[in-house]
C-alpha cells in the first residue's frame, strides 16, 4: 500500500489530520490521492461508513477507481464522482421532498437545451450571442457575473426552467446547499455516514461547493476528516467561480478545525528545461525539481510565428509525422488550443490528410453531457468493450443501473452480487444489428427492458430522461459543429475506449494529462485569457489568468513543447519564449 512512495508522498498519505496538499505538476498527485483513499478504506472500522472522493471530472473519478482495482482494494464503501453527482445522489435524490421547488418532481436539463434557452434569452435582450452567461450562484444565492446585466439574464434563465420543473447543475448545487443549511438532520445523517471526504483539484472548487463540504465536515467534527489536494497555479476555472481558498479560509469553512499543510514538490514527468520554462508562469513559491526518467534530457521548446493561419494544419501534420518517425506513439502527441472553435475544423482537416493516423478528440462526443441521466449510464455499458480490464468497472456501472431501477420499481430487482452479475450477462448478450449509433442504443435499451419484463413507461422520469438523452444526440448531429462527424456504432464505442490516437483538446480538457509532445496554438490575447474573463478588469487579473493557462499547457509536456502563433496575430502578453 505504501510501497514506492517518496517521503513527501508518504507523509501526506499517512497523516491522520485534516490536510491541504499542494501538489505540483507531475508530482504524483493522483498516486497520492489513490493511495490515501486505499489507506483509509483499509482502516475503516464500520461497514456502515463511506469514503467520499470528489473529483472535477467523471474521468478523474474513474481513474481513481481503476487504480484501486489494480491495488486489489474493495470499493463497496467508496463513492467517487463530481460534486454535482454527489449532491444529486446523496442530497437531492433522497431529500428533494424537503425543497418546495423540487417536491413535485424535476428533471436535469442537458447542455444543449441550456445553450438554446440562454441563446433565446440573450437574443430577447439584445445581448451578443458570444457573451458567456455564468449561471452559478454563491451561498447567498447571488449570481457571480461581473456584469450585473448578465446576472439578470442568468436569473431569467433559471426562472424559465423552474417553471417547467427543470433544473441545471448550478441549481442542483444551490438546492443541495439550501437543504443542508436548513435541515440539521440531513447534515447529521451525512456526517455520521462519512468517514473521509477527499477533494481533488481543490483550486477549481466554487464558493457554494466549499460551503456544502463545510456544512458536512463542521457537523461531523472529528468523526469525518477532510483531505484536499491540488495546485493553485492550475486554477484556470476562475471565470466559472473556481477559487483556491487558503488553508485559513478552508479552516473557517469547517468550523475552525485544524488543517495541516503538506507539499509535494517533485516533478516525475518532464525534463528540467520544460520545468524551468513553465515555472516562469508560477505564482506560488513551490520549488519544482525534475526527478523522473526524462529529468536530465535537454528537452525542446519552440515558438513558431512564421506560419500563416491557412497553413497551420499542414504544419501540424508535418510535426505529427516527424514525431511518429521518431518512435513517439500517437497517444503521446497532443494538440491544444484555448477553445473548440479552433480545434473542430483542424481535427477534420488533419483526419482528411492523415487518414491512417488515429485521432482522439473527446470534445466531439455524440452523447449528451449529463451522466446522471439513466440512459447515459445504460448506454455506457452497451458501448464499453467487454474485456478483463473493464470487468470491475462494468460491474460497478451495472450496480448503479440496478440501484436506479430499484428506485423506479420499489426494489423489485434486488441488488445482491448475483443480481448484478445476472443482469450484466443480459447486457453482454444484447447485440443489435443496427449500424447507426443512436438506433443501436435505442434498440439495445429497449431489449434490456424487455428481458427484465419492464415497461419503460413504468416511470415518468425514465420517459422524460429518454427524450432528453436521445433528442440530445439528434440535436448534436443537427448542429454545424457536428458536420462530418461519424454516426456509426463504432464511432460511438470509440468514445469509451482508451486513447490510442493523437489527442486534440482544449487547455482545460487536458488538465491532469501528460504527453511526450505538446503542440499549442491560438494563444492570442483575447483567448489567453479569454475576453470574457478580462473585460473591464484590471491588468493584473488578465496577467494572472493568462499565466495560469500557460502554466497548465507547458506542464503537460514531458520532452517537447511547440507553440504556434498565427502570423500577424498578437500573442498572449505573458508568453516570452527564449
Amino acid at each position: 500500500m505504501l510501497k514506492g512512495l517518496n517521503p513527501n508522498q508518504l507523509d501526506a498519505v499517512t497523516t491522520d489530520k485534516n490536510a491541504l496538499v499542494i501538489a505540483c505538476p507531475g508530482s504524483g498527485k493522483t498516486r497520492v490521492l489513490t493511495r490515501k483513499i486505499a489507506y483509509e478504506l483499509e482502516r475503516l472500522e464500520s461497514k456502515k461508513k463511506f469514503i467520499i472522493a470528489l473529483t472535477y471530472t467523471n474521468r478523474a473519478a474513474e481513474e481513481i477507481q481503476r487504480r484501486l482495482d489494480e491495488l486489489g482494494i474493495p470499493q463497496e464503501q467508496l463513492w467517487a464522482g463530481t460534486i454535482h453527482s454527489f449532491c444529486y445522489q446523496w442530497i437531492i435524490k433522497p431529500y428533494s421532498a424537503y425543497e418546495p421547488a423540487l417536491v413535485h418532481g424535476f428533471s436535469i436539463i442537458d447542455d444543449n437545451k441550456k445553450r438554446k434557452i440562454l441563446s433565446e434569452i440573450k437574443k430577447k435582450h439584445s445581448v451578443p450571442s458570444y457573451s458567456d452567461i455564468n449561471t452559478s450562484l454563491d451561498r447567498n444565492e447571488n449570481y457571480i457575473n461581473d456584469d450585473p446585466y448578465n446576472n439578470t439574464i442568468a436569473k431569467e434563465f433559471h426562472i424559465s426552467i423552474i417553471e417547467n420543473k427543470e433544473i441545471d447543475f448550478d441549481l442542483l448545487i444551490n438546492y443541495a446547499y439550501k437543504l443542508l443549511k436548513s435541515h440539521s438532520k440531513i447534515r447529521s445523517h451525512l456526517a455520521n455516514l462519512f468517514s473521509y471526504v477527499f477533494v481533488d483539484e481543490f483550486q477549481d472548487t466554487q464558493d457554494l461547493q466549499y460551503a456544502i463540504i463545510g456544512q458536512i465536515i463542521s457537523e461531523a467534527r472529528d468523526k469525518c476528516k477532510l483531505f484536499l489536494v491540488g495546485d493553485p497555479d492550475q486554477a484556470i476555472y476562475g471565470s466559472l467561480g473556481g477559487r483556491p481558498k487558503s488553508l485559513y479560509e478552508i479552516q473557517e469553512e469547517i468550523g475552525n478545525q485544524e488543517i495541516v499543510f503538506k507539499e509535494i514538490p517533485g516533478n516525475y514527468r518532464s525534463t528540467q528545461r520544460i520545468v524551468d520554462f513553465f515555472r516562469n508562469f508560477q505564482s506560488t513559491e513551490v520549488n519544482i525539481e525534475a526527478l523522473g526518467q526524462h529529468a536530465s534530457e535537454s528537452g525542446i521548446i519552440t515558438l513558431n510565428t512564421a506560419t500563416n493561419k491557412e497553413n497551420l494544419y499542414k504544419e501540424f501534420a508535418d510535426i505529427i509525422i516527424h514525431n511518429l518517425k521518431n518512435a513517439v506513439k500517437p497517444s503521446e502527441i497532443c494538440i491544444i488550443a484555448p477553445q473548440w472553435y479552433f480545434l473542430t475544423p483542424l481535427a477534420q482537416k488533419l483526419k482528411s490528410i492523415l487518414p491512417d493516423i488515429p485521432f482522439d478528440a473527446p470534445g466531439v462526443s455524440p452523447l449528451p453531457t449529463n451522466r446522471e441521466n439513466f440512459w447515459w449510464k445504460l448506454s455506457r455499458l452497451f458501448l464499453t468493450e467487454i474485456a478483463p480490464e473493464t470487468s470491475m468497472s462494468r460491474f460497478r456501472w451495472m450496480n448503479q443501473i440496478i440501484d436506479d431501477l430499484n428506485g423506479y420499481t420499489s426494489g423489485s430487482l434486488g441488488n445482491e452480487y448475483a443480481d448484478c452479475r445476472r443482469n450484466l450477462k443480459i447486457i453482454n448478450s444484447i447485440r443489435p444489428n443496427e449500424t447507426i449509433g443512436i438506433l443501436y442504443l435505442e434498440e439495445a435499451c429497449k431489449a434490456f427492458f424487455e428481458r427484465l419484463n419492464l415497461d419503460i413507461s413504468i416511470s415518468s422520469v425514465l420517459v422524460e430522461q429518454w427524450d432528453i438523452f436521445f433528442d440530445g444526440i439528434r440535436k448534436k448531429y443537427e448542429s454545424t459543429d457536428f458536420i462530418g462527424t461519424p454516426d456509426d456504432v463504432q464511432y460511438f464505442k470509440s468514445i469509451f475506449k482508451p486513447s490510442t490516437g493523437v489527442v486534440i483538446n482544449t487547455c482545460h480538457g487536458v488538465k491532469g494529462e501528460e504527453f511526450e509532445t505538446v503542440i499549442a496554438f491560438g494563444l492570442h490575447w483575447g483567448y489567453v485569457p479569454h475576453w470574457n474573463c478580462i473585460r473591464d478588469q484590471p491588468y493584473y487579473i488578465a496577467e494572472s489568468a493568462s499565466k495560469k493557462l500557460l502554466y497548465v499547457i507547458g506542464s503537460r509536456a514531458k520532452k517537447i513543447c511547440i507553440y504556434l502563433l498565427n502570423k500577424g496575430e498578437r500573442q498572449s502578453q505573458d508568453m516570452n519564449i527564449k
Side-chain angles (χ1 to χ4, degrees):
M1 182 63 60
L2 304 178
K3 186 178 179 181
L5 298 176
N6 67 33
N8 294 96
Q9 295 171 339
L10 182 64
D11 182 44
V13 168
T14 57
T15 183
D16 60 355
K17 300 181 183 298
N18 298 309
L20 174 62
V21 181
I22 304 301
C24 75
S27 63
K29 175 181 68 69
T30 304
R31 178 188 181 90
V32 167
L33 189 59
T34 304
R35 296 294 184 91
K36 177 64 173 174
I37 292 171
Y39 181 71
E40 296 302 337
L41 281 170
E42 290 199 330
R43 282 155 50 95
L44 284 177
E45 297 178 353
S46 170
K47 294 293 184 182
K48 296 180 180 179
K49 289 283 190 176
F50 286 87
I51 284 176
I52 302 298
L54 301 177
T55 59
Y56 196 79
T57 65
N58 287 288
R59 182 174 178 176
E62 289 162 7
E63 175 63 16
I64 289 170
Q65 292 175 313
R66 184 189 67 78
R67 294 194 188 195
L68 289 171
D69 285 338
E70 292 178 350
L71 292 171
I73 302 297
Q75 298 180 44
E76 291 82 3
Q77 292 175 265
L78 171 69
W79 186 94
T82 64
I83 184 71
H84 301 94
S85 295
F86 169 79
C87 288
Y88 177 74
Q89 292 290 341
W90 292 91
I91 305 173
I92 298 295
K93 198 172 177 181
Y95 299 112
S96 59
Y98 292 92
E99 170 52 50
L102 306 177
V103 69
H104 298 298
F106 64 94
S107 60
I108 303 174
I109 66 172
D110 64 11
D111 286 346
N112 284 331
K113 185 170 184 179
K114 180 172 182 174
R115 279 194 294 267
K116 182 179 178 181
I117 296 172
L118 277 172
S119 178
E120 291 170 351
I121 296 174
K122 285 191 283 188
K123 186 176 181 181
K124 169 185 167 184
H125 291 277
S126 300
V127 173
S129 59
Y130 56 78
S131 293
D132 283 340
I133 307 296
N134 191 338
T135 58
S136 301
L137 299 103
D138 63 20
R139 68 188 71 199
N140 298 314
E141 294 195 87
N142 297 316
Y143 292 94
I144 63 175
N145 295 283
D146 292 317
D147 187 338
Y149 199 69
N150 286 355
N151 289 334
T152 301
I153 292 178
K155 184 175 182 179
E156 184 173 333
F157 161 71
H158 276 153
I159 291 172
S160 70
I161 64 173
I162 290 171
E163 288 176 349
N164 291 323
K165 295 199 295 186
E166 297 172 328
I167 62 174
D168 65 349
F169 287 123
D170 293 320
L171 280 179
L172 185 150
I173 293 286
N174 178 58
Y175 288 132
Y177 175 67
K178 287 174 67 176
L179 286 167
L180 286 174
K181 184 76 172 175
S182 304
H183 300 279
S184 61
K185 67 178 182 180
I186 299 177
R187 297 195 304 272
S188 178
H189 178 64
L190 295 179
N192 288 323
L193 272 178
F194 303 152
S195 173
Y196 240 102
V197 174
F198 291 86
V199 181
D200 188 21
E201 304 288 5
F202 85 94
Q203 74 277 355
D204 298 325
T205 304
Q206 298 177 2
D207 175 70
L208 196 53
Q209 296 167 2
Y210 280 114
I212 289 169
I213 296 165
Q215 286 285 312
I216 297 170
I217 302 298
S218 295
E219 184 75 23
R221 301 306 296 176
D222 290 335
K223 293 181 294 185
C224 180
K225 291 290 193 299
L226 178 64
F227 189 93
L228 306 101
V229 62
D231 181 2
D233 281 314
Q234 296 187 62
I236 59 175
Y237 289 95
S239 63
L240 298 179
R243 181 185 165 197
K245 287 197 173 186
S246 70
L247 183 146
Y248 302 105
E249 289 174 310
I250 297 170
Q251 197 163 275
E252 186 177 4
E253 289 280 8
I254 64 171
N256 293 312
Q257 298 179 69
E258 181 188 7
I259 300 178
V260 297
F261 177 80
K262 305 289 181 182
E263 192 175 285
I264 309 177
N267 179 293
Y268 293 88
R269 173 186 300 160
S270 310
T271 69
Q272 188 62 52
R273 187 181 181 195
I274 295 287
V275 169
D276 291 341
F277 170 67
F278 69 71
R279 283 200 68 195
N280 286 313
F281 312 120
Q282 190 178 15
S283 62
T284 62
E285 296 187 9
V286 176
N287 182 34
I288 307 174
E289 182 182 357
L291 301 173
Q293 61 176 322
H294 306 301
S296 60
E297 298 181 33
S298 59
I300 299 173
I301 303 170
T302 303
L303 174 63
N304 178 338
T305 59
T307 304
N308 287 315
K309 179 179 179 181
E310 293 74 19
N311 295 322
L312 271 179
Y313 73 98
K314 295 179 182 178
E315 185 71 21
F316 286 127
D318 289 342
I319 294 171
I320 291 169
I321 291 171
H322 175 77
N323 273 264
L324 295 177
K325 287 181 177 179
N326 283 279
V328 178
K329 296 178 181 178
S331 60
E332 284 286 338
I333 305 170
C334 178
I335 299 173
I336 305 175
Q339 295 181 333
W340 277 106
Y341 165 82
F342 295 97
L343 294 167
T344 302
L346 173 70
Q348 292 170 347
K349 286 182 179 179
L350 287 175
K351 287 177 182 179
S352 66
I353 65 172
L354 301 174
D356 297 326
I357 296 174
F359 288 90
D360 177 24
V364 290
S365 167
L367 302 188
T369 55
N370 180 10
R371 296 191 176 200
E372 294 305 323
N373 186 296
F374 175 84
W375 304 105
W376 190 98
K377 296 177 185 177
L378 188 57
S379 295
R380 175 172 56 179
L381 279 166
F382 285 118
L383 297 175
T384 305
E385 182 181 3
I386 303 171
E389 57 269 24
T390 64
S391 59
M392 295 294 290
S393 295
R394 288 176 61 79
F395 189 86
R396 277 196 300 273
W397 300 337
M398 188 71 246
N399 191 51
Q400 294 173 16
I401 292 293
I402 297 303
D403 280 347
D404 285 353
L405 283 177
N406 278 330
Y408 300 131
T409 61
S410 301
S412 64
L413 298 181
N415 58 3
E416 299 297 324
Y417 177 87
D419 299 315
C420 287
R421 188 173 181 181
R422 179 179 63 253
N423 289 304
L424 190 56
K425 284 184 177 180
I426 293 175
I427 291 281
N428 296 345
S429 68
I430 296 173
R431 298 177 181 177
N433 292 321
E434 293 288 350
T435 57
I436 301 300
I438 187 171
L439 300 180
Y440 177 92
L441 288 179
E442 287 177 327
E443 186 174 321
C445 291
K446 290 176 180 177
F448 178 61
F449 269 66
E450 288 173 2
R451 299 278 188 91
L452 296 181
N453 293 317
L454 292 176
D455 190 334
I456 292 174
S457 62
I458 192 172
S459 165
S460 60
V461 176
L462 282 176
V463 174
E464 190 172 25
Q465 290 190 7
W466 175 285
D467 293 338
I468 290 171
F469 180 73
F470 288 104
D471 286 350
I473 296 175
R474 291 188 172 91
K475 286 174 182 175
K476 276 201 171 189
Y477 278 99
E478 291 169 1
S479 71
T480 54
D481 290 342
F482 252 60
I483 293 175
T485 303
D487 62 358
D488 59 282
V489 176
Q490 293 308 313
Y491 182 74
F492 274 57
K493 289 184 176 181
S494 70
I495 67 173
F496 289 107
K497 289 182 178 178
S499 175
T500 57
V502 176
V503 174
I504 300 177
N505 211 328
T506 63
C507 308
H508 296 78
V510 298
K511 196 156 75 104
E513 305 291 328
E514 58 181 45
F515 308 91
E516 187 160 328
T517 300
V518 169
I519 311 163
F521 76 109
L523 309 180
H524 309 299
W525 193 246
Y527 290 102
V528 178
H530 195 274
W531 284 120
N532 288 323
C533 302
I534 62 175
R535 188 183 291 115
D536 300 324
Q537 294 293 317
Y539 175 76
Y540 73 88
I541 296 290
E543 181 183 37
S544 176
S546 178
K547 284 184 174 181
K548 284 178 168 58
L549 275 171
L550 294 171
Y551 179 88
V552 167
I553 293 170
S555 61
R556 299 311 95 201
K558 298 177 184 177
K559 296 182 180 179
I560 303 171
C561 211
I562 302 171
Y563 295 85
L564 291 97
L565 299 174
N566 300 347
K567 190 174 182 178
E569 296 273 10
R570 181 186 177 194
Q571 71 182 48
S572 177
Q573 291 184 1
D574 298 292
M575 188 164 67
N576 181 21
I577 301 174
K578 296 180 181 179

